[in-house]
Amino acid sequence: MAEAALDRLTPEQLIAAGTPLTRLYIEAAPGSGKTTVSAYRFGVQRFALASDPRAVVAVSFTRSATAELRARVRSTWGRAAINPPHRIVTLDTVVYDLLAHLLHTNKLRWPGGHTELEVLDTWKAHYPTRYTTREPVVELEGRQIVTAHTYRHAKGNHLGQHDFETAVNDGQCTHDNVRAILEQALSVPDITGCLIDYFATTTRALIVDEIFDANSLDLAVVELAAQAGLHITVVGDPWQALYGFRGARPDLVPTLIERAEMATLQLTASFRWRTSHQEDLATALRRSEPTTVPSAVLDGVDVVLAREWKPLWNTDPRVLPLAFRSASGNTQEAASTLLLNRLTRSAFGEHATYVTDAAATLRLDEDARARLEPRLDAILARLADKEDLTGTLADLTAAIATESSARIPGKHPSQIERLRQLRTRLLHPFDDLILGLTTHQAKGREWDAVAVRFEASDTRALHVGLDRDNEDHRKLYVALTRARRRSLAV
């Protein structure tokens, strides 16, 4: 690694990346170079004890985050830095490795005697599903994993019980199934001891990015690694913990830090701010000081952010969100999402957020999606030219039917409304359209000028100062710290 690369680091970053401390929590403010420090820290751990054959492992919670960190490590330290056994993976991968070890050592038994599993992201991409409250699950009975079912409060797209049992007996499951079994297994003392031994013999250092996105199982895995004597580095920002709806437990992170006896280092210097006004705003927000955000029109704005997708569609006809709402498994919505994806690709060069889910719902592989693209472009052109929403819906349904056997129900008001929303945007030149994102989708990104769709409670919160323990306040904090130059309220 060239010395010039080290010269680009601030004193805070150099200390955090290179400290010999074996248990470390790095609190990283927005724009402070969190990924850069994690990449340098990985290399320090990797090469400091090159004679130790055990792995240095870095994890994050999404494939995009791990891909970014992997690329940063390669560019900083060279490809050899992640030669096996060293790796940068999702935490789901580590969770599966732990379950696979329990299967290989016969601590647990999978139906059919499988010790290697095919782990799917979702069932609906591979099997027909039903919209129901009845969900098939896997459970632990003693040391044997068995199939069962439960009833959820809300309906969802779930596999039929027979198909589920057949798939599980064939060695298939989802990441949710893997997590469910491991979480149950951790209540068995000799299993936790087995996993601690596994960590101790295979791994010497663990780096966890975005620790405040971790749920209780994730935190339990990190604690097992700490009990195994690994060097542990966790990186994150309590102000940017947004995933309570997915089960994240940022409130438990301080307990982990205390029990693992981690030292704390802070990254406070931000490279993001280009104006004193934006820097002052970010400082006031983080200190929970009263502040205000000016209101303005959307001219010159790069992106509009909101907590949910629906307000973005109602903000201004020039705002083009990357989704209608969170993916629901509805085939009508999936068809509209494919259409939206063609528009967002043309306008911004970005995929619609849930286009992969939409393709899975419609059971379309990549080749089928590619064959559909000219048809979808033609439908968008007709929609822009003529306000025949019912005819457009018929054309869209017919086009999807050429590649998919999934049933798309007939005309529905919500489907017509989605086409109307698309047509409204199509009436504007692409250069006039403004990207619309939820705060969750904007996390980790930055723009020069950011408009934030305010709710009444947001103005009141800013008037008294944000509360870090309130997730809505944290969402507002993240939204208002995405701008390099100016944040505006709309």
Side-chain angles (χ1 to χ4, degrees), residues 16-24 38-52 54-57 77 81 86 204-207 230-233:
T19 179
L21 291 169
T22 60
R23 299 289 172 84
L24 180 63
S38 294
Y40 276 89
R41 183 73 176 160
F42 183 93
V44 169
Q45 299 277 358
R46 160 70 173 88
F47 293 109
L49 294 172
S51 60
D52 189 330
R54 295 175 299 166
V56 173
V57 179
W77 297 96
H86 312 292
R204 57 182 160 96
L206 178 67
I207 299 170
L230 274 64
H231 293 193
I232 305 288
T233 301

Side-chain angles (χ1 to χ4, degrees), residues 88-109:
I88 300 171
V89 295
T90 63
L91 196 55
D92 275 337
T93 300
V94 174
V95 168
Y96 169 72
D97 289 344
L98 296 178
L99 177 58
H101 179 67
L102 295 175
L103 296 176
H104 278 288
T105 55
N106 206 35
K107 293 289 185 181
L108 297 180
R109 294 182 295 276

Side-chain angles (χ1 to χ4, degrees), residues 20 39-40 43 54 71 93 127 197 201 281 294 313 322 351 355 385 403:
Y40 276 89
R54 295 175 299 166
T93 300
Y127 298 93
D197 290 343
T201 56
L281 172 63
W313 287 100
L322 292 189
H351 287 290
V355 66
D385 186 58
E403 298 291 348

Side-chain angles (χ1 to χ4, degrees), residues 389-409:
L389 303 182
T390 301
T392 300
L393 177 57
D395 291 343
L396 178 59
T397 301
I400 299 296
T402 64
E403 298 291 348
S404 170
S405 61
R407 178 179 174 274
I408 301 177

